[in-house]
Every structure is written in structure tokens, then in C-alpha cells.
Amino acid sequence: QVQLVESGGGLVQPGGSLRLSCAASGNINRIYAMNWYRQTPGKQREFIASIIHVGTTNYAASVKGRFTITRDNAKNTVYLQMNSLKSEDTAVYYCHTTLGSIAYWGEGTLVTVTS
């Protein structure tokens, strides 16, 4: 079992920055990769970024060059640094991982980009 809790969402202006955090607890020694997804009402949840335990990262084309995913294994936390934010980045952002064939999700944190 793994528990994931996101934090750091809020209201920012276009062009601004925000850093999201995801704290993991439970059977954390079994975690191989951590991921960020986002979802807007009426749309499918979309993949944003991933990082594996050794540090290899992957990004969706829509955020590549603007967002950076990192992890602090000592704190069991993964981060998403979001720069040059656009209105279309407005969404609920979710932390995600898998343990075997089981998927675990956080409750989400809301990011609103508006003037």
C-alpha cells in the first residue's frame, strides 16, 4: 500500500511559476517510478512527467522545457517545478505511482493560471 499527498497548488499569473510536491508513505521501498498527471473538467487525465528511481525523466510535449520533475528520496517526495505557466495549464494535478499492477493516486492539488 502507498499513500500519496500532493501540495503546492494555488493561483498564479500567466508567465509565473509554481512548485508542486508529492509526499509518499507506506510501502515506499517498492516504488520504482513517480509520475505527475493533470485533469481539467470534461477532459481525460493526461500524463505530464515521470521520474524513475535512478533519476531518468520523461515529459509530455506540452510541458517540455517549462516543467521539471525531481525527487528527494531521503524525504520520499517528488516535485514538479512549473515555469512559464499558461492559462491552459490550469488543472488539478495528481501524483501517481504503481506497485506491481496496482495504481495509486493522490487526491490532487488545484493549479489556476489567470490574471
Side-chain angles (χ1 to χ4, degrees), residues 17-83:
S17 297
L18 204 61
R19 189 179 76 159
L20 307 182
S21 299
C22 173
S25 61
N27 195 11
I28 56 177
N29 290 337
R30 302 255 292 170
I31 294 175
Y32 174 68
M34 297 290 290
N35 314 284
W36 285 99
Y37 286 74
R38 69 186 182 190
Q39 188 169 26
T40 300
K43 297 179 63 178
Q44 291 288 109
R45 191 169 297 183
E46 63 175 323
F47 167 81
I48 297 300
S50 67
I51 185 166
I52 64 174
H53 196 266
V54 296
T56 302
T57 58
N58 187 38
Y59 298 93
S62 59
V63 305
K64 189 175 295 184
R66 299 189 298 120
F67 292 8
T68 303
I69 186 171
T70 58
R71 67 193 301 167
D72 185 340
N73 290 329
K75 295 183 176 181
N76 303 316
T77 301
V78 64
Y79 304 94
L80 185 68
Q81 178 65 48
M82 310 165 67
N83 298 326

